[in-house]
Amino acid sequence: MSETILKVNNIHKSYTTGKESFEALRGVSLSLEQGEMLAVMGSSGSGKSTLLHILGAMDAADEGKIWLNGELRKDYGTEPAATRIRAEQIGFIFQDFNLIQDLTVEENVALPLMLAGEKNRVIWEKTDQMLEKVGILDKKKNAVTELSGGQRQRVAIARALITEPKLLLADEPTGNLDYNTSIEIMQLFLELQQEKDHSIIIVTHDAMVAAYTDRILFLHDGLVRDEYRCQKNGNDMDRIVDKFKMLSLKNTSEVSDMCHKTEEPIYVTKNGYDDMVIMSMESYESTMRQAAMYRDIELSEKQIEAGQTRDARTALREIQQKL
Ligand code: ADP
Ligand code: MG
């Protein structure tokens, strides 16, 4: 059995602006296996960045548990532990690269080692190795402002990898890149995953990007609503797009169209927040697996009670009765 590198259970996070409070995450649970590449997909505002910042120890959750390398870390999002976790265990990659404009390519990449107080010889040796790995060693003396978007993201990836973190987190890493450059960056993630056994979480709203990963979690309104394991048989993109659309279906005719189109059994349940949640069977089974994993037997029993397996047509009839 593979090892779980990161596991989170029931993460909640609210933002307060003035008197208004908004719950961006409403009980997110997930786990990441060693060597796995996971995508978190969701439309804008679904809570993707909020989640990734918490996983990256850049922000603290209001509620929920986080295990890193099998160890329950109550101090995950709080200083001084958070700084250590970020420096030693996590590489973070941003949509807008977050490079320091006044530094050269090699200085940007070397920075985390300099901050860690590494010896000069080691710093420049590792920096060269890392720049070579991401394919921009020939640009090392350039200012980052002289690079293309794809090249800048390569610098950012090299910087994230230089401390050899086990966990790589990327927030829409291809969001500012064109289609072909996005493919190049995803190929690079694949190479990293294959050669070094990095565990990677990529946040994206792009089905093409998600199709490169092993597994996709669909986030909607601060909850994981569905899951898909990529089959790598050429059909993933279509399935991902269908599931993505399914997240925001609002009325029965939309659900009906989608059920007929995908011919996939769906599962209807109540989750305490919305009137109804429509999940694929795959997602239902994964919820059950998670429930068992966390020994949350009460939850699983409640869910079994709430609705048994139904085919799409039966589920639809029920939805119509409830509306
Ligand atoms: P995504 O990355 O999926 O687009 P975010 O995690 O950035 O979504 O945001 C989720 C929700 O939380 C949004 O409604 C957003 O407006 C809100 N939000 C995010 N950050 C803050 C903040 N610092 N203060 C107030 N609200 C925030
Ligand atoms: Mg975001």
Side-chain angles (χ1 to χ4, degrees):
M1 237 182 87
S2 60
E3 254 176 74
T4 303
I5 175 159
L6 182 72
K7 183 167 101 169
V8 307
N9 192 20
N10 200 28
I11 296 285
H12 287 254
K13 177 75 185 178
S14 292
Y15 292 112
T16 308
T17 336
K19 281 183 185 162
E20 302 267 300
S21 180
F22 177 80
E23 205 175 14
L25 297 178
R26 304 189 293 159
V28 171
S29 301
L30 62 86
S31 64
L32 179 73
E33 300 301 305
Q34 172 66 43
E36 189 179 26
M37 177 143 64
L38 179 74
V40 175
M41 254 190 117
S43 35
S44 181
S46 56
K48 303 184 297 298
S49 293
T50 303
L51 175 62
L52 210 63
H53 287 157
I54 290 170
L55 299 181
M58 298 197 286
D59 203 355
D62 298 335
E63 208 185 307
K65 290 186 177 143
I66 303 182
W67 290 259
L68 185 63
N69 303 315
E71 189 190 341
L72 177 61
R73 297 295 301 255
K74 292 191 171 152
D75 54 0
Y76 201 86
T78 46
E79 301 300 348
T83 299
R84 284 196 70 125
I85 290 174
R86 284 197 304 271
E88 291 165 11
Q89 314 254 17
I90 294 169
F92 208 100
I93 296 154
F94 301 86
Q95 174 174 350
D96 53 5
F97 325 128
N98 268 20
L99 299 174
I100 298 176
Q101 306 283 327
D102 297 334
L103 298 183
T104 62
V105 165
E106 64 174 358
E107 287 165 344
N108 265 282
V109 174
L111 198 59
L113 293 184
M114 292 175 171
L115 294 175
E118 194 61 83
K119 288 196 195 77
N120 252 330
R121 188 182 54 80
V122 177
I123 291 177
W124 300 114
E125 238 176 61
K126 279 195 176 174
T127 300
D128 274 7
Q129 272 170 19
M130 214 43 84
L131 286 169
E132 173 142 46
K133 178 182 281 186
V134 302
I136 43 163
L137 185 57
D138 57 330
K139 301 280 182 205
K140 69 177 191 174
K141 298 289 180 196
N142 284 73
V144 293
T145 47
E146 292 161 358
L147 304 187
S148 70
Q151 289 169 333
R152 286 178 203 208
Q153 197 54 298
R154 285 172 190 271
V155 177
I157 292 171
R159 182 186 55 187
L161 290 171
I162 193 99
T163 53
E164 298 174 26
K166 289 180 113 182
L167 183 58
L168 210 54
L169 305 176
D171 193 356
E172 311 226 21
T174 62
N176 288 359
L177 305 177
D178 61 66
Y179 183 78
N180 288 332
T181 311
S182 299
I183 290 176
E184 283 173 28
I185 292 295
M186 288 316 295
Q187 300 277 9
L188 178 58
F189 275 113
L190 269 187
E191 282 165 29
L192 294 174
Q193 181 197 20
Q194 281 156 8
E195 88 186 33
K196 268 218 125 178
D197 225 25
H198 289 289
S199 312
I200 305 172
I201 301 181
I202 297 180
V203 157
T204 183
H205 55 251
D206 185 339
M208 186 277 285
V209 167
Y212 273 88
T213 68
D214 300 315
R215 186 163 62 99
I216 302 162
L217 298 180
F218 294 87
L219 198 67
H220 188 70
D221 285 346
L223 283 168
V224 174
R225 290 293 184 82
D226 206 346
E227 179 178 359
Y228 176 69
R229 199 168 277 282
C230 289
Q231 308 294 315
K232 310 285 179 191
N233 59 3
N235 296 329
D236 288 332
M237 279 266 279
D238 287 343
R239 298 285 313 276
I240 294 165
V241 170
D242 283 344
K243 279 180 173 288
F244 195 47
K245 284 184 190 158
M246 199 123 80
L247 288 176
S248 52
L249 300 181
K250 289 195 175 60
N251 58 52
T252 50
S253 68
E254 284 178 3
V255 175
S256 165
D257 287 349
M258 189 54 80
C259 291
H260 289 308
K261 188 169 165 229
T262 60
E263 291 183 356
E264 187 182 2
I266 60 169
Y267 176 82
V268 184
T269 183
K270 295 208 173 215
N271 78 343
Y273 293 105
D274 303 284
D275 277 339
M276 211 160 299
V277 174
I278 298 157
M279 300 171 139
S280 65
M281 275 312 293
E282 222 172 310
S283 166
Y284 170 68
E285 281 162 10
S286 110
T287 308
M288 286 302 155
R289 269 201 312 277
Q290 283 204 15
M293 190 163 84
Y294 299 121
R295 294 189 177 77
D296 197 349
I297 303 304
E298 203 187 342
L299 169 76
S300 71
E301 278 175 2
K302 226 190 291 176
Q303 293 217 338
I304 290 166
E305 228 177 83
Q308 303 85 39
T309 307
R310 300 160 166 85
D311 61 34
R313 202 154 294 113
T314 320
L316 253 184
R317 213 175 305 128
E318 290 205 7
I319 294 171
Q320 272 156 348
Q321 278 165 9
K322 284 179 187 175
L323 285 178

